Amino acid sequence: MPQRTINPRNIICPFPSCGRTFSSKGGLTNHRRTHQTPRREPPGQPHPPTPPSQDLEPGFDMDDHLVEAVSLPGRAPSVVEEPNTNPPKAREKVEFHPYINGLPCDAEGTFLPPGAPPPPWDYPPPDDYSPFTNRPSFELADLIFRKDKMSAGNINELLQIWASTLPDDEDPPFINKQHLYDTIDKIELGDAPWHSFTVSFNGEVAEGDTTPWKRATYDVWYRDPRVVVTNQLKNPDFATEMDFAPKEVRDENGKRRYCDFMSGDWSWRQANELAKDPQNHGATFCPIILGSDKTTVSPMNHCLVLADKEHADSVEFRKFRRNLFHGSLNKILQTLRPGMEKPEILRYGDGYYRRTVFGLGPYIADYPEQVLLACVVQGWCPRCDAPWDNLDHTAGRRSHRLTEALFETIGTKALWDDYGIIDGIMPFTHGFPRADIHELLSPDLLHQIIKGTFKDHLVTWVTAYIQEVNTPADAKHILADIDRRLAAAPSFPGLRRFPEGRGFKQWTGDDSKALMKVYLPAIAGHVPPQMIRALSSFMEFCYLARRSVLDEDDLIAIDAAVANFHRDRVAFDDVRPDGYSLPRQHSIVHYTYMIREFGAPNGLCSSITESKHIKAVKEPWRRSSRFEALGQMLLTNQRLDKLAAARVDFRARGMLREPIFGELVEPEPPPLETLNEEEDDDGGAVDDDVLGEVLLAQKPIPNLPRTAQELGTRLNIPDLRGRISRFLYEQDNPDLDIPLDDVPLSACPQFEGNIRVFPSAISIYYAPSDKSGVRGMFRERIRAVESWRKGPARYDCVFVERDPDLPGFRGLYVARVRAFLSITHNKVKYPCALVWWFSTVGDSPCPDTGMWMVEPDFDQTGNRAMSIIHIDSILRGAHLMGVSSGSQFIPHHLSFSHTLDAFRSFYTKQKRKPPQRYERSQRPTDEAEDAWPELKTLKDSLMKDEAAKDPWR
């Protein structure tokens, strides 16, 4: 019998959430090195929260079943304090809402006893892959339609070729492309059909008025949001990623922490409102987070054109367009309204039913969309009523109540001129329970901060300033030097390089984030110190706001950074004669309030909606016939969703755990000390719980000597053996009170063991940011190689622990890794690093950049000061930027690979500035308030409420 020539993928990944298969153990090992890490508990990270239901007896009267717990000022006692096995220093306390707490119930809404298992899922038989005939046919459909995005013609050709290889009485899994499409369409899981309605202008049309848009009809396509939400809630993939109750998170000292959405004040306040009705007790509050982001499907095509150029700017058409937008949203969301007023019984991914109350949550949008959503005039703030020409003036919060009162009090012109309100239209949220768009507009890190204030404002202003205060020739020379400084930035894991400086046309959010990391040192010396301080303060604000976990100290620091930025940005007065009343820049004054309301801004950034442009719009467009493409695009998205839902269901039923063919092989997990990524991988997010640690790469560099003498000769370090001996002495005497170099070699262990040299190490550490995993863990690769990617050598820099009790950079050393070593002595392996040292310049950061400076150390012979350290003392990589004064221009020939050798001193880790508060002036009373005292009373009340929550007010 002929042997099969295809190696079967019969080895499965043992991690439950993965399910990938491999044809060899080596393939599995590489996969695990790249994507998975050993499960350990990181410092300061709690276990997933225990459902509050475990501490309540069944029944409707919650007051009779509250357990004793810590009570916070202004809040009812919590239902449960989250269990935590972390050391006391890292302990977190989580308090859940005592009444709107997501108690499991049965399908009729009766609460289950504590610990009761969920009702069993009504699953089909384990071999039922309906509507597919078997697993291979499902995998084939998924491969062709989702992974490969194969065209209809190619699908038919593939199936024809397949059929030609089969006997006459056999067919391939699908006869043709239409058979494939029809099979996918029959998937019931995840089905959320597209619906549409037609709208048209319903105003009076004068006789003889032939304006096209007044006589046209417009199709609005949508999916029922209630169906979409219920599909998401019952998805098993999300079962462990949900909070069923609003919560307050505090650290071991009782300090409030803001992380995910349900940790903010807004969700708790919504729960308080719902708790006023006893029938809502025990329910789950499910906020619907909305978002919109305009895009085009190709450079020359738009999805919809509503008016020709002749009428696009008319007041009448703009009013129609606003009404079309808000009326459509209001109609689409009506299916959720019953669930906003009375709990609905829905099933969740963990198998339990819960009484669920819907609510309109934050809306993710950039500034132009926020203006449209809030029905305010372009140039005004959609959250507060500060005047458009002085946005940073103190103002009150906008609200539906205030807008309605103003409608009754003043005319259209005064609404527009004095309050920036568009007359005659209320936002779509008006009329929905507990919803006000002015309260729900979320912070937008991407467009307000990264691409807006930093790239569009500050970088542009710096360039304009240089061009204004210098001759054209000198300005060109300075800007070229800034570009060379950017290009000379040393390599660093995950850092985008700028080989041509700022000289590229299409900016992305990632480009702006990367430029932010290297821009400040690049312009230092070329612009005034106050301008540097303004940028430094703004970047401090930006780095703080982008964290995934923020505490009260962080919020104070954010306010201080904004205050410093406002103080120092006057350095741009020469290029900003009209001032700084810019809506996107003004938005930063609202950030501390919005963080308290909605948690860390990372979870509500418009990068979430923008990331869907390619998959939800551009790729479906490319797969369409380009003729009446909208319906085809919607159908493509619907089929992709159905395939994804089917895969989740099959995996949850254990139907994808077995390989497609061959005997199942359960592999042994690799040892922890070798669990690393591929050498070409810079690192990324770590979603599992791990300790902060540094691990050597798995494979040593081949063909290097193994003895100290021979390796020292190869590395041009003649005294390598002596350095190893002193390192071993330090391992045996950790409390050494004299310099290690002063220890006589005769007193040190005589090293005769083997040495292996490794090209890199992986640093895994806690760094809650937008790049980290769900547990705030991040990993990066630190390299020390004589040739990187067939080019020059690369020896990365690191932060080394000096004194853990000192704050920030004061407790660290900076070093550059010459080699990663594994030393074997007396049958003990020591993972270590041979490093060159840097010393701090001065005892405080640079007063302008806010960054510390370091310089390389040299020994008495003039060589770089060097020693061997255990890799456990390494915290993570350090990125250094060369320090240049304005008179020192970068040579044209300087390569980024030589930067760390060419400069005398370097900028390194930025230091957080001391927190401080400042007062802001009061806005004068408007004439309308004097004319109608009730309006002033209403505004004063709203401002008082806002001031209690927002320190900027």
Side-chain angles (χ1 to χ4, degrees), residues 269-290:
R269 206 164 54 246
Q270 292 279 308
N272 285 345
E273 288 296 314
L274 293 173
K276 293 177 181 178
D277 184 352
Q279 294 201 14
N280 290 332
H281 291 183
T284 296
F285 173 53
C286 179
I288 310 300
I289 298 177
L290 304 170

Short mmCIF file of all heavy atoms in Angstrom, two decimals, residues 269-290:
data_model
loop_
_atom_site.label_atom_id
_atom_site.label_comp_id
_atom_site.label_asym_id
_atom_site.label_seq_id
_atom_site.Cartn_x
_atom_site.Cartn_y
_atom_site.Cartn_z
N ARG A 269 -22.68 54.85 38.34
CA ARG A 269 -23.78 55.80 38.45
C ARG A 269 -25.02 55.29 37.71
O ARG A 269 -26.16 55.47 38.17
CB ARG A 269 -23.33 57.15 37.90
CG ARG A 269 -24.05 58.34 38.47
CD ARG A 269 -23.32 59.64 38.21
NE ARG A 269 -23.02 59.88 36.82
CZ ARG A 269 -21.79 59.92 36.32
NH1 ARG A 269 -20.74 59.75 37.13
NH2 ARG A 269 -21.60 60.16 35.04
N GLN A 270 -24.80 54.67 36.56
CA GLN A 270 -25.93 54.07 35.84
C GLN A 270 -26.58 52.97 36.68
O GLN A 270 -27.81 52.85 36.73
CB GLN A 270 -25.43 53.49 34.52
CG GLN A 270 -24.97 54.52 33.51
CD GLN A 270 -26.12 55.14 32.75
OE1 GLN A 270 -26.96 54.45 32.19
NE2 GLN A 270 -26.16 56.46 32.73
N ALA A 271 -25.74 52.16 37.34
CA ALA A 271 -26.28 51.10 38.18
C ALA A 271 -27.07 51.68 39.35
O ALA A 271 -28.10 51.10 39.76
CB ALA A 271 -25.15 50.20 38.69
N ASN A 272 -26.62 52.79 39.91
CA ASN A 272 -27.37 53.43 40.99
C ASN A 272 -28.76 53.83 40.53
O ASN A 272 -29.74 53.69 41.26
CB ASN A 272 -26.62 54.66 41.50
CG ASN A 272 -25.42 54.31 42.35
OD1 ASN A 272 -25.28 53.18 42.80
ND2 ASN A 272 -24.53 55.27 42.55
N GLU A 273 -28.85 54.36 39.30
CA GLU A 273 -30.16 54.74 38.77
C GLU A 273 -31.04 53.52 38.59
O GLU A 273 -32.23 53.53 38.94
CB GLU A 273 -29.98 55.47 37.43
CG GLU A 273 -29.42 56.87 37.54
CD GLU A 273 -30.37 57.80 38.28
OE1 GLU A 273 -31.57 57.79 37.99
OE2 GLU A 273 -29.89 58.51 39.19
N LEU A 274 -30.46 52.45 38.04
CA LEU A 274 -31.25 51.23 37.84
C LEU A 274 -31.67 50.62 39.17
O LEU A 274 -32.77 50.04 39.29
CB LEU A 274 -30.42 50.21 37.04
CG LEU A 274 -30.11 50.58 35.60
CD1 LEU A 274 -29.15 49.57 34.99
CD2 LEU A 274 -31.38 50.65 34.77
N ALA A 275 -30.84 50.74 40.18
CA ALA A 275 -31.13 50.12 41.48
C ALA A 275 -32.29 50.79 42.20
O ALA A 275 -32.82 50.22 43.16
CB ALA A 275 -29.88 50.16 42.37
N LYS A 276 -32.73 51.96 41.76
CA LYS A 276 -33.88 52.61 42.37
C LYS A 276 -35.15 51.79 42.17
O LYS A 276 -36.10 51.92 42.94
CB LYS A 276 -34.07 54.02 41.80
CG LYS A 276 -32.94 54.98 42.17
CD LYS A 276 -33.13 56.35 41.52
CE LYS A 276 -31.99 57.30 41.89
NZ LYS A 276 -32.14 58.62 41.22
N ASP A 277 -35.16 50.96 41.13
CA ASP A 277 -36.28 50.05 40.89
C ASP A 277 -35.90 48.67 41.43
O ASP A 277 -35.01 48.02 40.89
CB ASP A 277 -36.58 49.97 39.40
CG ASP A 277 -37.79 49.10 39.09
OD1 ASP A 277 -38.31 48.43 40.02
OD2 ASP A 277 -38.22 49.08 37.93
N PRO A 278 -36.56 48.19 42.49
CA PRO A 278 -36.18 46.89 43.08
C PRO A 278 -36.24 45.74 42.09
O PRO A 278 -35.53 44.75 42.26
CB PRO A 278 -37.19 46.71 44.21
CG PRO A 278 -37.65 48.10 44.54
CD PRO A 278 -37.64 48.85 43.25
N GLN A 279 -37.06 45.85 41.04
CA GLN A 279 -37.14 44.76 40.08
C GLN A 279 -35.86 44.61 39.26
O GLN A 279 -35.67 43.59 38.60
CB GLN A 279 -38.33 44.98 39.14
CG GLN A 279 -39.68 44.90 39.85
CD GLN A 279 -40.82 44.61 38.89
OE1 GLN A 279 -40.60 44.22 37.75
NE2 GLN A 279 -42.03 44.79 39.37
N ASN A 280 -35.00 45.62 39.30
CA ASN A 280 -33.73 45.52 38.59
C ASN A 280 -32.64 44.88 39.43
O ASN A 280 -31.55 44.58 38.91
CB ASN A 280 -33.26 46.91 38.15
CG ASN A 280 -34.12 47.50 37.06
OD1 ASN A 280 -34.72 46.77 36.26
ND2 ASN A 280 -34.20 48.82 37.01
N HIS A 281 -32.88 44.67 40.73
CA HIS A 281 -31.85 44.12 41.60
C HIS A 281 -31.44 42.73 41.12
O HIS A 281 -32.29 41.88 40.83
CB HIS A 281 -32.34 44.06 43.04
CG HIS A 281 -32.51 45.41 43.66
ND1 HIS A 281 -32.89 45.61 44.97
CD2 HIS A 281 -32.32 46.66 43.15
CE1 HIS A 281 -32.95 46.90 45.23
NE2 HIS A 281 -32.61 47.55 44.14
N GLY A 282 -30.15 42.51 41.08
CA GLY A 282 -29.62 41.24 40.60
C GLY A 282 -29.37 41.20 39.11
O GLY A 282 -28.82 40.23 38.60
N ALA A 283 -29.75 42.28 38.40
CA ALA A 283 -29.60 42.30 36.95
C ALA A 283 -28.16 42.65 36.57
O ALA A 283 -27.36 43.11 37.39
CB ALA A 283 -30.58 43.29 36.33
N THR A 284 -27.87 42.45 35.29
CA THR A 284 -26.60 42.86 34.70
C THR A 284 -26.83 44.11 33.87
O THR A 284 -27.76 44.15 33.05
CB THR A 284 -26.04 41.76 33.79
OG1 THR A 284 -25.75 40.61 34.57
CG2 THR A 284 -24.77 42.21 33.09
N PHE A 285 -26.00 45.12 34.07
CA PHE A 285 -26.07 46.31 33.23
C PHE A 285 -25.16 46.11 32.03
O PHE A 285 -23.97 45.84 32.18
CB PHE A 285 -25.65 47.55 34.01
CG PHE A 285 -25.54 48.79 33.17
CD1 PHE A 285 -26.61 49.20 32.37
CD2 PHE A 285 -24.37 49.55 33.16
CE1 PHE A 285 -26.51 50.33 31.57
CE2 PHE A 285 -24.26 50.68 32.37
CZ PHE A 285 -25.34 51.07 31.57
N CYS A 286 -25.73 46.20 30.83
CA CYS A 286 -24.99 45.96 29.59
C CYS A 286 -24.97 47.25 28.77
O CYS A 286 -25.90 47.53 28.01
CB CYS A 286 -25.64 44.83 28.80
SG CYS A 286 -24.80 44.48 27.23
N PRO A 287 -23.91 48.06 28.91
CA PRO A 287 -23.83 49.28 28.10
C PRO A 287 -23.42 48.97 26.67
O PRO A 287 -22.54 48.14 26.42
CB PRO A 287 -22.74 50.09 28.82
CG PRO A 287 -21.89 49.09 29.50
CD PRO A 287 -22.77 47.91 29.83
N ILE A 288 -24.08 49.61 25.72
CA ILE A 288 -23.78 49.42 24.31
C ILE A 288 -22.82 50.53 23.88
O ILE A 288 -23.19 51.70 23.80
CB ILE A 288 -25.06 49.47 23.45
CG1 ILE A 288 -26.14 48.55 24.05
CG2 ILE A 288 -24.75 49.11 22.02
CD1 ILE A 288 -25.74 47.11 24.14
N ILE A 289 -21.57 50.17 23.63
CA ILE A 289 -20.56 51.14 23.21
C ILE A 289 -20.62 51.24 21.70
O ILE A 289 -20.41 50.25 20.98
CB ILE A 289 -19.16 50.71 23.68
CG1 ILE A 289 -19.12 50.66 25.22
CG2 ILE A 289 -18.10 51.67 23.16
CD1 ILE A 289 -17.81 50.18 25.79
N LEU A 290 -20.93 52.42 21.21
CA LEU A 290 -21.09 52.66 19.79
C LEU A 290 -19.85 53.35 19.23
O LEU A 290 -19.04 53.89 19.97
CB LEU A 290 -22.33 53.52 19.53
CG LEU A 290 -23.65 52.99 20.08
CD1 LEU A 290 -24.74 54.06 19.99
CD2 LEU A 290 -24.08 51.74 19.33
#
